Amino acid sequence: MKSSISAHTLALMNERSREIFKHIVESYLHDGEPVGSRSLSYNLSESLSPATIRNVMSDLEKLGLLYAPHVSAGRMPTESGLRFFIDVFMEIGDLPQEERKSIEMQLSRIGRTVEQFLTEASQVLSYLSHGAGLVLAAKSHDFLKHIEFVHLDCRTALFVLVTQNNYVENRIIELPRGVTQRQLVEVSNYLNKYIQGYSLSDARQELSRIRDYIRAELDDLSQQLVEAGLAALSKSHDESTRIIVHGRANLLEYIHADEDLKRLQRLFEDLETRDSILQLLDLTETGEGVRIFIGSENKLFSLSGSSLVVAPYYNAEQKVIGALGVIGPTRLDYARIVPMVDYTAQLISQLLQEEIAL
């Protein structure tokens, strides 16, 4: 579906300018180099002189679709030009069966933890795209399977939290003086009646809501133990997100100048900034399916000049529980990577939902 801006720009272009524009963008996506009028004159369906082609290129430059990186160079698409090409001209086909099978084989859940499974997802995206594969998993959307207290010594215990996605978090807590092993088991069972199937935030709210009821049912030591468990739950931050990136080295292949290296260094810094990377989950929750962000369209990577193809994956209630995608230069092979990211996200959603249903 074309935006009103794209439709207006398209209306200003005749068949000749459209063909020239498409050739320039496709050539740029293939090799990343400016395209000159002489080169274009050999590849167009209509026989045109280099001078005529230069005039068309100048018109496209005035529309904000092309630019010349150097005075004597050919033309390259601007970020707006790439967006226009993707919205109007790019054709996205089905993912080849061979690549589907490759993804399915890599993402087998047999004998793997969720962490290993998600790591495989980032690796297969990196391998197939020749970019960096990114997977985000928000713990706040994991539903709790059970919690328990594991006795360490007379004053400490291990508070173990397990989600339905088999994510395990351990915290050492101080025990009230005089707590017995039997009480640890009883309070674990008691809490599990109320928190099982809840998200972290909902579990905290539920336990806070029934505090008075807990006081009426449990003795003083058990009440103190419940409070210790509630405090441990409170330290499990909703904002905590697992971030898995694989294939940073692939991005080195796209470096042609010192400026490219500086941008890549900036990208690596962005990927290490947890507060910034969490914005990606917000991006996926604002729309369905695969989204493409080119350069400055994505505030997170605007200074590095990188592109991002990203899609959410869902739980059984169709809530977004994470995101995955491919990061690379603006000349990514979008037509190939979009169905790849889409299929991987759908497969992860399906496999995680099957795991929870077992």
Side-chain angles (χ1 to χ4, degrees):
M1 182 177 179
K2 302 179 183 67
S3 68
S4 58
I5 296 175
S6 296
H8 174 70
T9 302
L10 186 64
L12 297 175
M13 301 168 65
N14 57 27
E15 287 301 320
R16 176 183 294 176
S17 61
R18 294 177 188 181
E19 184 182 9
I20 289 174
F21 173 71
K22 287 171 64 177
H23 269 283
I24 291 174
V25 176
E26 288 167 354
S27 177
Y28 167 76
L29 293 177
H30 183 264
D31 58 30
E33 299 294 334
V35 182
S37 56
R38 189 170 299 278
S39 173
L40 278 169
S41 66
Y42 295 118
N43 297 310
L44 297 176
S45 59
E46 181 183 3
S47 179
L48 298 173
S49 69
T52 300
I53 294 172
R54 283 194 295 272
N55 288 334
V56 175
M57 291 165 73
S58 178
D59 291 338
L60 293 171
E61 195 168 354
K62 291 175 182 176
L63 288 175
L65 302 177
L66 302 179
Y67 78 103
H70 308 291
V71 175
S72 59
R75 300 298 192 278
M76 299 171 69
T78 61
E79 288 183 3
S80 298
L82 282 174
R83 169 54 61 191
F84 176 71
F85 176 83
I86 288 170
D87 290 347
V88 176
F89 296 112
M90 188 174 73
E91 297 180 1
I92 298 175
D94 292 331
L95 189 67
Q97 191 63 32
E98 182 179 345
E99 292 190 353
R100 285 175 179 255
K101 289 182 179 179
S102 178
I103 294 171
E104 291 167 3
M105 289 178 62
Q106 286 288 104
L107 297 187
S108 169
R109 282 300 317 277
I110 299 175
R112 298 182 184 179
T113 65
V114 170
E115 190 76 17
Q116 291 169 331
F117 169 62
L118 295 176
T119 298
E120 288 288 351
S122 70
Q123 290 174 344
V124 72
L125 285 173
S126 171
Y127 173 75
L128 292 176
S129 69
H130 305 292
L134 173 72
V135 175
L136 303 173
K139 290 193 300 185
S140 58
H141 297 293
D142 279 353
F143 295 99
L144 298 175
K145 182 184 290 184
H146 73 268
I147 60 174
E148 62 178 306
F149 297 92
V150 178
H151 196 270
L152 296 178
D153 57 41
C154 63
R155 293 308 309 272
T156 59
L158 195 64
F159 179 79
V160 183
L161 180 153
V162 183
T163 73
Q164 290 181 339
N165 282 341
N166 290 328
Y167 179 79
V168 180
E169 183 173 314
N170 300 311
R171 291 187 181 277
I172 295 176
I173 64 170
E174 289 188 13
L175 293 176
R177 190 177 299 276
V179 169
T180 65
Q181 176 63 32
R182 181 179 176 180
Q183 284 176 307
L184 289 176
V185 174
E186 288 178 347
V187 171
S188 295
N189 293 336
Y190 183 85
L191 289 176
N192 280 318
K193 288 194 305 183
Y194 293 101
I195 60 90
Q196 194 171 45
Y198 280 96
S199 67
L200 283 171
S201 58
D202 289 343
R204 290 197 293 266
Q205 291 178 13
E206 178 65 11
L207 290 178
S208 296
R209 186 182 68 80
I210 63 172
R211 262 195 173 106
D212 291 339
Y213 179 72
I214 291 172
R215 292 191 184 99
E217 280 211 329
L218 301 179
D219 58 43
D220 288 342
L221 282 179
S222 296
Q223 289 178 37
Q224 292 178 49
L225 195 53
V226 169
E227 290 296 329
L230 184 57
L233 278 174
S234 297
K235 293 178 181 177
S236 297
H237 301 298
D238 286 346
E239 295 81 7
S240 294
T241 299
R242 283 164 280 166
I243 303 170
I244 305 169
V245 182
H246 190 82
R248 287 178 173 87
N250 288 343
L251 303 180
L252 294 171
E253 298 176 9
Y254 299 97
I255 291 178
H256 298 291
D258 289 343
E259 183 179 352
D260 292 335
L261 181 59
K262 289 178 181 177
R263 287 181 176 177
L264 186 61
Q265 289 172 338
R266 181 59 192 242
L267 172 60
F268 287 170
E269 291 172 2
D270 288 340
L271 290 174
E272 297 301 328
T273 305
R274 180 174 292 269
D275 290 341
S276 296
I277 206 78
L278 295 178
Q279 296 174 37
L280 291 180
L281 282 177
D282 294 333
L283 293 175
T284 60
E285 289 179 347
T286 58
E288 296 182 359
V290 181
R291 302 191 67 189
I292 300 172
F293 297 92
I294 303 169
S296 60
E297 290 181 349
N298 178 2
K299 294 180 181 179
L300 176 59
F301 298 148
S302 61
L303 295 179
S304 67
S306 304
S307 284
L308 169 69
V309 180
V310 64
Y313 55 93
Y314 303 86
N315 62 15
E317 288 73 34
Q318 294 305 300
K319 292 182 179 179
V320 175
I321 57 174
L324 59 83
V326 171
I327 304 167
T330 54
R331 64 181 188 89
L332 279 172
D333 187 352
Y334 299 99
R336 176 173 173 267
I337 290 175
V338 166
M340 180 192 305
V341 169
D342 187 32
Y343 184 72
T344 305
Q346 291 181 38
L347 189 59
I348 284 184
S349 298
Q350 175 187 332
L351 292 173
L352 289 179
Q353 290 168 26
E354 289 174 355
E355 174 72 14
I356 291 173
L358 293 178

